[in-house]
Amino acid sequence: MTDTALQFLPNLHPYDVLPKATLGAIAKRVKVIDIAKGATVYDVGDTLQGLYIVVSGSVCVRDDAGHEISHLQSENSFGERGLLRNGVAVTSACAEEDSQLICIPPDVFHKLRAEHDPYRRFFDRTRADTTNDAALAFDLTSVRVETLMAPDPMTCAPSMTIRDAAKLMRDQRISCLCVTEEDALVGILTLRDLSGKALAEGLDYSTPVAEIMTSAPRTLPPSAIGSDVLHMMMEHRLGHLPIVSGQTLVGIVTQTDLTRFQASSTAGFVAEAAEAQTAEGLAEVTKRIPNLLVQLVAAGNRHDVVTRMITDIADVVTRRLLTLAEEKFGPPPARYVWLACGSQGRQEQTGVSDQDNCLILEDELSEAALAYFEPFAQFVSDGLNACGYVYCPGDMMATNPRWRQPLSVWRDYFQHWIKSPSKEAQMLASVMFDLRPIGGDASLFEGLQTQTLEAAAANSIFTAHMASNALTHATPLGLLKGLATIRSGEHRNTIDMKLNGVVPVVDLGRMYALQGKLDVVNTRARLEGAIAAKAVSQSGGQDLLDAYDLVAQSRLDHQAAQIKHGKAPDNFLPPAELSAFERSHLRDAFVVIKTMQSALMQGRGMLG
């Protein structure tokens, strides 16, 4: 037991910063436990025997409702939340396969926290003593992947033998190898591949890695955030996620890297949605989103983090419905990509969202193949509606034959809109520039997006029309730049925080992206990209970012307050409910937005 701990702990943070004498003392007190697949480590309410660390195998951790929140592998630890409270387990843990664990007794755990600051900071910072899942999510959602990932991961060539790969992984004490060709990621090899595919099948040691690796693995860019990693891992049951910039491998995130962060409540939504068997089952998940929004806002999460997490759930629901549709109607007769536009496309969904989507199909389809996608689209759209993503009032959905066409037709659409920028063309182009692939074959869209951005940016008449269209949404300012409210009707004496608040900035962001040929669709990312590309001045761009943050956060706070009071959320904020301080700052934000609109119309795109 002592030998196992002494071999394992010195290479694991935060034990790697402890004195050798302390590690020796720990090794004498720990227990090494072998646990069989399916056996319970502990249940909710049990008195914890200590802090557990996975040496080998895999452990599933569930919350008190039975929802999966973590799949832990070698070097992951668990049980600290209960230890940091009263020693009673607040989760349950079960071995997913034969596993070996190290158990550090509670008194040793607390002594280490009391005497070694790095050890205390590691656990206190990452697992706050709270039962609020949204608060636990805050750290993770604030961290960009580039700060989570291990840079320069160990790689190998596809031709390396599985024996050499196993030796390399053993010597480097790592659980995976990224397989590359000229810096481009082509696959990933994990310990599970070696055991489940090579050892179990009795493959010759000279077998090349290419025969057992996972080809074209799922990846994320460095600009993603921690919750993106967690959600992808939970949805697809991944233990390792390569990080790529363009086609170049720049890092990797593993379950070990996420150990310091307790799984957020959205991960439970994602896991449930990914396993739902019916649209009704998905609706049971999404009906809890309003309460989730309240929790996330209350935890202090920034508006763009909240809307990104809410949108993540919509994305998983959509992909699950696509899978259910394929099971219902049979394998698709052709390649397709399902895309979202509007707020889902921009990853900006709040508590009020309809559905805006379309289908791009591969070219040269038969009539029978085209016919397959009509009920297919209807099934997915109906399922989204049942889940609370109501039908688009403007019928901009894949159920409309106009928005369910082969790639060549879509290419013609965009070319026509750019060459003949009518009022309808401007409106349609505005919506379609926010497209984001959700499911299917994303390669069908990549070329179209690049070509369209190039053509649109090169057409000065089109961009001028788009700029004019972007100014149709006025900010709610009166003649003396006071707040102007709606004067009559159901929403009298309120401000439409969507149409007159967020949308003007969305329009500006879209124009900056068009001018700078930026392929991002998220509004905040577009504004940041415009500043970096000097499409706007540093001061003007930063002022606009600050103004957008204030307006978007005010809108989200308003919705959260309505939900807490048992009301359906909307976008209509009564200024009378704000303090004089809040009204003043909101007015200043609208002044900045209006100034930037004027600058765009004058062709400057900058402030001051």
Side-chain angles (χ1 to χ4, degrees):
M1 295 181 182
T2 299
D3 289 344
T4 299
L6 285 177
Q7 291 172 8
F8 193 81
L9 293 180
N11 298 296
L12 177 66
H13 191 70
Y15 304 92
D16 58 352
V17 298
L18 299 179
K20 287 185 178 180
T22 302
L23 286 172
I26 295 172
K28 293 178 181 178
R29 293 289 312 279
V30 304
K31 295 180 180 179
V32 177
I33 304 169
D34 292 311
I35 185 165
K37 178 180 179 180
T40 297
V41 182
Y42 60 74
D43 281 320
V44 174
D46 287 351
T47 298
L48 289 164
Q49 300 303 304
L51 175 75
Y52 294 92
I53 305 171
V54 182
V55 177
S56 62
S58 177
V59 173
C60 177
V61 178
R62 291 181 170 84
D63 63 17
D64 57 1
H67 301 140
E68 294 181 358
I69 57 174
S70 292
H71 295 280
L72 307 180
Q73 297 179 332
S74 179
E75 300 185 354
N76 291 166
S77 58
F78 58 101
E80 62 277 11
R81 280 183 62 195
L83 290 175
L84 289 172
R85 298 179 68 198
N86 54 8
V88 176
V90 295
T91 59
S92 63
C94 176
E96 294 183 297
E97 56 187 71
D98 291 346
S99 304
Q100 187 175 74
L101 312 175
I102 289 176
C103 180
I104 299 177
D107 64 313
V108 176
F109 173 76
H110 291 302
K111 182 178 175 64
L112 290 171
R113 291 182 59 247
E115 296 179 355
H116 300 279
D117 285 342
Y119 194 92
R120 176 185 54 76
R121 287 196 302 269
F122 180 84
F123 288 102
D124 287 1
R125 178 197 53 181
T126 58
R127 294 174 178 88
D129 181 11
T130 176
T131 56
N132 186 331
D133 281 340
L136 290 170
F138 180 67
D139 281 347
L140 185 59
T141 57
S142 301
V143 176
R144 288 169 69 99
V145 165
E146 61 189 5
T147 64
L148 275 177
M149 72 183 189
D152 302 317
M154 192 63 62
T155 64
C156 72
S159 58
M160 176 179 278
T161 66
I162 58 175
R163 179 175 187 147
D164 288 341
K167 285 182 177 180
L168 181 58
M169 293 166 73
R170 179 200 64 190
D171 294 342
Q172 296 296 323
R173 299 185 64 82
I174 55 177
S175 55
C176 75
L177 287 172
C178 292
V179 186
T180 59
E181 288 183 323
E182 298 181 353
D183 292 331
L185 181 71
V186 296
I188 188 170
L189 178 74
T190 67
L191 288 175
R192 186 167 294 182
D193 293 325
L194 288 172
S195 62
K197 297 177 183 178
L199 185 60
E201 298 298 327
L203 297 183
D204 189 275
Y205 289 162
S206 63
T207 302
V209 162
E211 291 193 19
I212 66 168
M213 71 180 187
T214 298
S215 299
R218 298 178 187 278
T219 64
L220 282 174
S223 60
I225 59 176
S227 64
D228 294 333
V229 177
L230 182 61
H231 291 171
M232 186 171 285
M233 284 183 168
M234 293 298 294
E235 181 181 4
H236 302 290
R237 299 180 68 84
L238 305 176
H240 309 81
L241 192 61
I243 307 302
V244 298
S245 179
Q247 299 296 317
T248 304
L249 175 72
V250 295
I252 191 163
V253 181
T254 69
Q255 281 282 355
T256 300
D257 300 313
L258 295 182
T259 298
R260 66 176 61 92
F261 297 104
Q262 201 52 263
S264 72
S265 54
T266 48
F269 281 72
V270 168
E272 286 185 63
E275 296 177 1
Q277 299 302 308
T278 63
E280 291 74 20
L282 288 167
E284 287 298 310
V285 177
T286 57
K287 73 179 183 182
R288 306 200 308 271
I289 288 179
N291 288 333
L292 173 65
L293 185 146
V294 172
Q295 292 174 355
L296 293 173
V297 171
N301 289 289
R302 206 171 63 184
H303 71 91
D304 55 313
V305 171
V306 176
T307 55
R308 165 90 65 76
M309 297 175 80
I310 296 295
T311 306
D312 279 350
I313 299 171
D315 290 354
V316 176
V317 168
T318 304
R319 283 192 288 271
R320 187 59 187 150
L321 286 168
L322 291 170
T323 299
L324 293 175
E326 291 184 10
E327 292 175 358
K328 179 179 178 65
F329 299 108
R335 293 185 301 137
Y336 73 88
V337 58
W338 182 282
L339 303 105
C341 45
S343 59
Q344 185 181 2
R346 297 190 304 273
Q347 295 180 297
E348 294 166 3
Q349 288 190 311
T350 66
V352 186
S353 296
D354 57 6
Q355 57 175 290
D356 299 281
N357 47 61
C358 64
L359 263 175
I360 297 178
L361 313 174
E362 69 173 309
D363 286 328
E364 300 180 1
L365 298 187
S366 65
E367 288 298 321
L370 284 169
Y372 166 93
F373 289 101
E374 181 176 354
F376 179 93
Q378 192 66 56
F379 177 89
V380 176
S381 185
D382 289 346
L384 289 171
N385 183 70
C387 290
Y389 308 103
V390 298
Y391 300 120
C392 173
D395 202 22
M396 191 160 286
M397 300 179 292
T399 51
N400 184 336
R402 187 180 186 185
W403 311 128
R404 188 180 68 248
Q405 291 291 336
L407 177 59
S408 58
V409 175
W410 280 99
R411 190 172 285 113
D412 290 342
Y413 282 166
F414 279 105
Q415 288 177 355
H416 176 71
W417 294 336
I418 293 169
K419 291 179 180 178
S420 305
S422 65
K423 195 68 177 176
E424 183 192 34
Q426 296 169 36
M427 183 274 292
L428 293 174
S430 295
V431 174
M432 294 302 173
F433 274 122
D434 294 347
L435 286 173
R436 183 170 61 88
I438 304 298
D441 188 344
S443 66
L444 288 170
F445 176 66
E446 290 168 359
L448 176 64
Q449 183 186 41
T450 302
Q451 294 165 11
T452 302
L453 280 173
E454 291 282 349
N459 190 316
S460 58
I461 296 177
F462 174 77
T463 54
H465 278 275
M466 283 286 288
S468 177
N469 187 62
L471 303 179
T472 58
H473 298 108
T475 54
L477 292 171
L479 291 177
L480 300 178
K481 293 188 176 180
L483 291 175
T485 61
I486 298 172
R487 295 191 174 186
S488 61
E490 179 185 0
H491 303 296
R492 184 171 178 268
N493 296 328
T494 68
I495 296 172
D496 188 336
M497 295 295 287
K498 177 182 178 181
L499 195 63
N500 303 116
V502 170
V503 169
V505 186
V506 170
D507 289 339
L508 286 170
R510 190 182 294 118
M511 280 304 305
Y512 298 148
L514 181 59
Q515 292 171 342
K517 302 178 185 176
L518 306 174
D519 58 5
V520 292
V521 294
N522 175 264
T523 298
R524 205 173 196 284
R526 281 172 166 170
L527 298 182
E528 291 175 336
I531 295 171
K534 298 184 178 179
V536 292
S537 69
Q538 180 70 35
S539 60
Q542 190 58 56
D543 283 348
L544 183 59
L545 259 180
D546 292 343
Y548 175 60
D549 284 341
L550 179 62
V551 171
Q553 192 68 51
S554 298
R555 176 195 184 198
L556 209 57
D557 290 345
H558 165 67
Q559 292 186 2
Q562 288 181 302
I563 295 168
K564 282 196 292 186
H565 288 92
K567 300 178 181 178
D570 61 29
N571 294 300
F572 300 97
L573 171 66
E577 294 183 0
L578 302 176
S579 67
F581 180 84
E582 290 171 324
R583 286 196 300 273
S584 175
H585 279 275
L586 193 59
R587 181 183 64 248
D588 290 344
F590 288 132
V591 170
V592 169
I593 296 169
K594 185 172 183 179
T595 304
M596 294 300 282
Q597 286 180 315
S598 299
L600 178 70
M601 197 58 193
Q602 294 168 15
R604 293 185 292 114
M606 59 185 65
L607 179 64

